[in-house]
Amino acid sequence: MLNLNVLNETSPLKAVVLGIAKHNGPIPKVEDCYDPSSLKHVQLGTYPLEKDMIPEMNALAQLFKSYGVQVYRPSVIADCNQIFARDIAFVIENKLIKSNILPDRAKEFTALSSILNQIQPEHIIELPEECHVEGGDVILCDDHIFVGVYTGDDYPDFITARTNMNAVEALQNLFPDKTIKPLELKKSNTNPQENALHLDCCFQPLGHGKALIHKEGFLKESDYLFLENYFGKEHLFLTTKEEMAAMNCNVFSISEDVIVSEQNFTRLNSWLEAQSFKVEKVKYSEVSKQGGLLRCSTMPLIRS
């Protein structure tokens, strides 16, 4: 059996689900794109190909294994995009919570059956239907859980609005000892530089009290100021709109000291190394064209 345990984003990683790019399906039509980055690359003719994404993801799997991490992959569903494992479920403490995701993507969860069979059934939680949530909007910081939300009356108009306050309330009920802090995100269906698809696209805690953040990704300045106060301004790396759209905030921590980052994030990687982190630089630029990166494609099961 898998003894789930995830309390934060940075404790040493022991087991993780990594998405898969095989049989990823055809290039979507413009009207079928779920996010503005995918839309942009479909329109430009630069949408990523399966043959280019598979090596990127396999190299990440090998990197994890070199650190002694147990890597699980979903079973393959033909013609289905299964790259972003974080969207479909997430672990808090010893509970795996099934995301209420876009209806077109519900079958992705079934591809985790070989993993789910190793988890005690009472530790698999399915939230009520009105609770919209995806794992990219849920960031763990020990006693705090930060949740990216959108509460505007035009929520139904945004394909990029994935998490609502019903989910925040449900998580508070599930974890009454945690401080659940909703953070309102900026949304756009068409402009990647004006859209925080998930919280982890504009905010990411790192080891040793550091964090990455895109100030303009938050609708309310008070939410940004809360995080600035929580971490301390001197511990923050502030991304530009261009860096945010390229997924600079969406790195992934193997431990307090080791961070996996995209090799082209030169300004960020230099800063991380100046903060004494070991930076494992990988090529993940093709995956990034779909509006997600390293955290989006991984779902930690166990951190020690």
Side-chain angles (χ1 to χ4, degrees), residues 6 16 20 26 41 44-45 67 71 77 83 85 93 105 109 125 150 159 187 190 207 220 251 258 271 285:
V6 182
V16 68
I20 200 159
H41 287 288
L44 291 174
Y67 278 88
V71 179
I77 302 171
I83 290 170
E93 294 182 350
R105 300 184 58 192
F109 188 77
I125 307 295
Y150 185 73
I159 192 85
K187 299 293 178 183
T190 57
K220 300 176 181 176
V251 300
V258 181
W271 182 84
S285 54

Coordinates of all heavy atoms in Angstrom, one line a residue, residues 6 16 20 26 41 44-45 67 71 77 83 85 93 105 109 125 150 159 187 190 207 220 251 258 271 285:
V6 N 2.0 14.3 2.1 CA 2.5 15.5 1.5 C 2.0 16.7 2.4 O 0.8 16.9 2.5 CB 2.0 15.7 0.1 CG1 2.6 17.0 -0.5 CG2 2.4 14.5 -0.8
V16 N 6.1 10.0 -6.8 CA 5.4 11.0 -7.6 C 4.8 10.4 -8.8 O 5.2 9.4 -9.3 CB 6.5 12.1 -8.0 CG1 7.4 11.5 -9.0 CG2 5.8 13.3 -8.6
I20 N 2.1 11.7 -18.8 CA 2.7 11.0 -19.9 C 2.2 11.6 -21.2 O 1.1 12.2 -21.3 CB 2.2 9.5 -19.8 CG1 3.2 8.6 -20.7 CG2 0.8 9.3 -20.2 CD1 3.1 7.2 -20.2
P26 N -4.5 14.5 -31.5 CA -4.2 15.5 -32.6 C -4.0 16.9 -32.0 O -4.4 17.2 -30.9 CB -5.4 15.4 -33.5 CG -6.5 14.9 -32.6 CD -5.9 14.0 -31.6
H41 N -0.2 28.8 -29.6 CA 0.7 28.0 -30.4 C -0.1 27.2 -31.5 O 0.5 26.9 -32.5 CB 1.4 27.0 -29.5 CG 2.5 27.7 -28.7 ND1 3.7 28.1 -29.2 CD2 2.6 28.0 -27.3 CE1 4.4 28.7 -28.3 NE2 3.8 28.6 -27.2
L44 N -0.2 29.9 -34.1 CA 1.1 30.2 -34.7 C 1.6 29.0 -35.5 O 2.7 29.1 -36.2 CB 2.1 30.6 -33.6 CG 1.9 31.9 -33.0 CD1 2.9 32.1 -31.8 CD2 2.1 33.0 -34.0
G45 N 1.0 27.8 -35.3 CA 1.5 26.6 -36.0 C 2.7 26.0 -35.2 O 3.5 25.2 -35.8
Y67 N 17.5 10.5 -8.1 CA 17.4 11.0 -6.7 C 16.6 9.9 -5.8 O 16.3 10.3 -4.7 CB 16.7 12.3 -6.6 CG 17.6 13.5 -6.9 CD1 17.8 13.9 -8.2 CD2 18.2 14.2 -5.9 CE1 18.6 15.0 -8.5 CE2 19.1 15.2 -6.2 CZ 19.3 15.6 -7.5 OH 20.1 16.7 -7.8
V71 N 8.8 6.6 -9.4 CA 8.0 7.4 -10.4 C 6.9 6.5 -10.9 O 7.1 5.4 -11.4 CB 8.9 7.9 -11.5 CG1 8.1 8.6 -12.6 CG2 10.0 8.7 -11.0
I77 N -4.2 6.4 -22.4 CA -5.5 6.5 -23.1 C -5.3 7.1 -24.4 O -4.7 8.1 -24.6 CB -6.5 7.4 -22.3 CG1 -6.7 6.9 -20.9 CG2 -7.9 7.5 -23.0 CD1 -7.5 7.9 -20.0
I83 N -0.7 14.8 -19.9 CA 0.6 15.4 -19.5 C 0.4 16.0 -18.1 O 1.3 15.8 -17.2 CB 1.0 16.5 -20.5 CG1 1.5 15.8 -21.8 CG2 2.2 17.3 -19.9 CD1 1.8 16.7 -22.9
A85 N -0.6 15.9 -14.8 CA -1.1 15.0 -13.7 C -1.6 15.8 -12.5 O -2.5 15.3 -11.8 CB 0.0 14.1 -13.2
E93 N -1.7 15.9 3.2 CA -1.5 14.9 4.3 C -1.6 13.5 3.7 O -0.8 13.1 2.8 CB -2.5 15.2 5.4 CG -2.2 16.5 6.1 CD -3.2 16.8 7.2 OE1 -4.1 16.0 7.4 OE2 -2.9 17.8 8.0
R105 N -12.2 16.1 -19.5 CA -11.0 15.5 -19.1 C -11.2 14.5 -18.0 O -10.2 13.9 -17.4 CB -10.0 16.6 -18.6 CG -9.6 17.6 -19.7 CD -8.6 18.6 -19.2 NE -7.4 17.9 -18.7 CZ -6.5 18.6 -18.0 NH1 -6.6 19.8 -17.7 NH2 -5.4 17.9 -17.6
F109 N -8.6 10.6 -14.9 CA -8.5 10.1 -13.6 C -8.5 8.6 -13.6 O -7.9 7.9 -12.8 CB -9.7 10.6 -12.7 CG -9.5 10.3 -11.2 CD1 -8.6 11.0 -10.4 CD2 -10.3 9.3 -10.7 CE1 -8.5 10.7 -9.1 CE2 -10.1 8.9 -9.3 CZ -9.3 9.6 -8.5
I125 N -10.6 10.9 -1.7 CA -11.7 11.8 -1.5 C -12.3 12.4 -2.8 O -11.5 12.9 -3.6 CB -11.3 13.0 -0.6 CG1 -10.6 12.5 0.7 CG2 -12.5 13.9 -0.2 CD1 -11.5 11.7 1.6
Y150 N -11.3 32.0 -8.5 CA -11.9 33.1 -9.2 C -13.3 33.2 -8.8 O -14.1 32.2 -8.8 CB -11.8 32.9 -10.7 CG -12.3 34.2 -11.5 CD1 -11.5 35.3 -11.5 CD2 -13.5 34.2 -12.1 CE1 -12.0 36.5 -12.2 CE2 -14.0 35.3 -12.7 CZ -13.2 36.4 -12.8 OH -13.7 37.6 -13.4
I159 N -12.9 29.7 -19.5 CA -12.4 28.3 -19.5 C -11.2 28.1 -18.6 O -10.8 27.0 -18.1 CB -12.1 27.9 -20.9 CG1 -11.9 26.3 -21.0 CG2 -10.9 28.6 -21.5 CD1 -13.1 25.5 -21.2
K187 N -7.7 36.3 -14.8 CA -8.1 35.3 -15.8 C -8.2 36.0 -17.2 O -8.7 37.1 -17.3 CB -9.4 34.6 -15.5 CG -9.4 33.8 -14.2 CD -8.4 32.6 -14.2 CE -8.4 31.8 -12.9 NZ -7.4 30.7 -13.0
T190 N -7.6 34.3 -23.6 CA -6.9 34.5 -24.9 C -5.4 35.1 -24.8 O -4.6 34.9 -25.7 CB -7.6 35.5 -25.8 OG1 -7.9 36.7 -25.1 CG2 -9.0 34.9 -26.2
G207 N 12.3 26.0 -1.0 CA 12.9 25.7 0.3 C 13.5 26.9 1.0 O 13.7 28.0 0.4
K220 N -6.3 40.9 -6.6 CA -6.3 41.9 -5.5 C -4.9 42.1 -5.0 O -4.2 41.1 -4.6 CB -7.2 41.3 -4.3 CG -8.6 41.0 -4.7 CD -9.4 40.3 -3.6 CE -10.8 40.1 -3.9 NZ -11.5 39.3 -2.8
V251 N 8.3 25.8 -11.4 CA 9.4 24.8 -11.2 C 8.9 23.8 -10.2 O 7.8 23.8 -9.8 CB 10.6 25.6 -10.7 CG1 11.1 26.6 -11.7 CG2 10.4 26.3 -9.3
V258 N 17.1 21.2 -3.6 CA 17.2 20.9 -5.1 C 15.9 21.2 -5.8 O 14.8 20.8 -5.4 CB 17.5 19.4 -5.2 CG1 17.6 19.0 -6.7 CG2 18.7 18.9 -4.5
W271 N 19.4 33.4 -10.2 CA 18.9 33.8 -8.8 C 18.9 32.6 -7.9 O 19.3 32.7 -6.8 CB 17.6 34.5 -8.9 CG 17.0 35.0 -7.6 CD1 17.3 36.2 -7.0 CD2 16.1 34.3 -6.7 NE1 16.7 36.3 -5.8 CE2 15.9 35.1 -5.6 CE3 15.5 33.0 -6.7 CZ2 15.1 34.8 -4.5 CZ3 14.7 32.7 -5.7 CH2 14.5 33.5 -4.6
S285 N 10.7 22.8 -22.8 CA 10.1 24.0 -23.5 C 8.9 23.6 -24.4 O 8.0 24.4 -24.6 CB 11.2 24.7 -24.3 OG 11.8 23.8 -25.2

